[in-house]
Amino acid sequence: MKVLVTGGAGFIGSHLVDALMESGHDVRVLDDLSAGSLDNVKRWMNHEGFEFIRGDMRDVETVRKAVDGVEAVFHLAANPEVRIGSQSPELLYETNVLITHNLLSAMKDSGVKYLVFTSSSTVYGDAGVIPTPEDYAPLEPISVYGGAKLAAEALISGYAHTFDFRALIFRLANIIGERSNHGVIYDFINKLRRNPNELEILGDGTQRKSYLHVSDTVNGMLHLFGAFKKGKARVDFYNLGNDDWITVGEIAEIVSEEMGLRPAFRFTGGVDGGRGWKGDVKFMRLSIEKAKKAGWKPRLDSYEAVRRTVRELLGGIQ
Ligand SMILES: O=c1ccn([C@@H]2O[C@H](COP(=O)(O)OP(=O)(O)O[C@H]3O[C@H](CO)[C@H](O)[C@H](O)[C@H]3O)[C@@H](O)[C@H]2O)c(=O)[nH]1
């Protein structure tokens, strides 16, 4: 199958590209390299069946060229920073909603049959039910980022029903692993490299969320896409996460231990009752029963995924 991966030079995208190439698909990547890196895909650069387009999806013509001739689009291009919502809401709109609309607009005049989208747990906001199932309502995001992801989901559903393609939407927990270049583990490692004696922790450290390793994420996406293709649903939704969860304070302990340090922890206190920033969901654990029933389960729990990621980012595991 010939596929387009938007954001394919990014963190999750490049791991997905590895898996797709390894299973013999033809892969075209569209990436503006704003957060991703050519290094992440360099092993495929001179490979038959691999094509790289550097381009910004805010440009409609770029997107139109990228979808030409592909059967499926994996849409991972996005700005993943929840925390910038109060300073740069327009940027989150453009890099999550506008680019998705440009993609849908290009897809309606093309032969693309499937769209796979990486949405986020943040669409649930401060969910009243934990673990939160896919049919939880009302969806009330508390960040501009979560709102942008939900808007993108809604547009995808509307376009899929109107223009006869099928869409699979993943609501991801906190995804971590090799090549990630943002988020709590990356931040803690960098802070401790700068000052090994003290670690600043945003919020009160009790923020508790599910973390899923990128290898489990990509396995889940491809397994469930295979199942989705055999089914009939026009649009379907799956949470991908873990059955357990871990606090930011516990993550700080694991990072310190793996770096061989015993820093003093300095909690900033944060906003709105100990959140790291405005819009930071404090408690997040998704129900993954639907994905499990379809035959997927994570290999690493949240604690194992965090420890493995710390080792990967420190350079121990390639
Ligand atoms: O230096 C830091 C950085 C983060 N945190 C805390 O660590 C937790 C996790 O923060 P991340 O930045 O790692 O991740 P987010 O929960 O904000 O969001 C991540 O997971 C979401 C889904 O759950 C989205 O998909 C999003 O794109 C992705 O970055 C937060 O509670 C935050 O307050 C700190 O205490 N100190």
Side-chain angles (χ1 to χ4, degrees):
M1 183 168 50
K2 182 160 183 165
V3 305
L4 168 67
V5 182
T6 75
F11 162 46
I12 306 174
S14 64
H15 286 279
L16 178 68
V17 167
D18 288 345
L20 288 165
M21 287 297 294
E22 279 159 12
S23 47
H25 297 291
D26 287 339
V27 177
R28 180 183 292 155
V29 167
L30 172 60
D31 201 300
D32 65 357
L33 300 180
S34 57
S37 152
L38 277 183
D39 246 19
N40 290 342
V41 288
K42 68 170 184 283
R43 63 183 279 213
W44 304 116
M45 271 307 182
N46 295 316
H47 236 265
E48 208 183 316
F50 181 80
E51 193 187 339
F52 181 82
I53 302 174
R54 182 176 183 168
D56 186 332
M57 292 184 69
R58 285 173 286 198
D59 178 56
V60 180
E61 239 352 90
T62 300
V63 182
R64 216 171 280 286
K65 282 187 199 134
V67 300
D68 187 46
V70 305
E71 191 179 340
V73 177
F74 290 81
H75 178 38
L76 281 77
N79 186 321
E81 287 290 2
V82 180
R83 69 180 93 176
I84 67 168
S86 48
Q87 296 85 46
S88 311
E90 299 82 3
L91 181 64
L92 286 180
Y93 166 75
E94 283 182 16
T95 53
N96 289 290
V97 188
L98 178 69
I99 67 167
T100 302
H101 186 259
N102 284 348
L103 175 63
L104 292 166
S105 176
M107 278 177 58
K108 76 181 163 57
D109 306 319
S110 76
V112 180
K113 292 216 294 249
Y114 305 103
L115 174 59
V116 179
F117 176 58
T118 44
S119 184
S120 161
S121 72
T122 56
V123 300
Y124 298 115
D126 286 328
V129 175
I130 288 180
T132 312
E134 288 84 354
D135 57 4
Y136 174 79
L139 295 174
E140 185 185 339
I142 61 162
S143 61
V144 174
Y145 171 84
K149 283 291 190 186
L150 184 56
E153 285 189 7
L155 286 169
I156 288 169
S157 176
Y159 268 73
H161 283 277
T162 308
F163 297 104
D164 295 333
F165 61 87
R166 299 179 60 210
L168 178 59
I169 294 173
F170 291 109
R171 292 178 175 154
L172 305 180
N174 285 39
I175 309 304
I176 54 175
E178 196 187 347
R179 301 179 201 159
S180 63
N181 57 2
H182 89 129
V184 61
I185 298 174
Y186 178 85
D187 286 348
F188 282 174
I189 290 174
N190 287 329
K191 285 179 185 177
L192 285 172
R193 279 183 172 148
R194 283 195 300 270
N195 180 1
N197 300 314
E198 186 187 89
L199 178 61
E200 178 205 61
I201 298 175
L202 304 177
D204 64 7
T206 67
Q207 305 96 304
R208 189 187 287 269
K209 308 192 195 200
S210 262
Y211 290 76
L212 182 67
H213 194 265
V214 67
S215 54
D216 280 325
T217 311
V218 167
N219 281 345
M221 288 176 65
L222 292 177
H223 175 80
L224 294 166
F225 180 49
F228 173 75
K229 281 202 295 186
K230 288 189 201 125
K232 289 233 169 340
R234 172 73 43 196
V235 179
D236 209 354
F237 298 82
Y238 283 95
N239 290 335
L240 288 181
N242 242 313
D243 280 325
D244 67 341
W245 49 353
I246 181 168
T247 66
V248 168
E250 289 172 310
I251 294 176
E253 274 162 25
I254 294 173
V255 175
S256 306
E257 191 187 307
E258 288 294 328
M259 292 177 81
L261 301 171
R262 305 197 66 173
F265 293 163
R266 185 170 58 78
F267 298 95
T268 65
V271 299
D272 299 342
R275 299 167 195 264
W277 45 78
K278 199 100 194 134
D280 184 23
V281 171
K282 206 159 175 205
F283 302 107
M284 183 278 291
R285 185 155 58 94
L286 306 177
S287 165
I288 53 171
E289 293 310 308
K290 186 173 171 185
K292 280 185 178 169
K293 278 197 192 100
W296 170 80
K297 69 173 185 331
R299 280 179 312 120
L300 303 177
D301 67 21
S302 292
Y303 288 83
E304 292 164 338
V306 166
R307 197 171 286 281
R308 188 181 170 94
T309 298
V310 178
R311 290 181 186 171
E312 288 170 339
L313 296 185
L314 290 174
I317 302 175
Q318 290 310 314

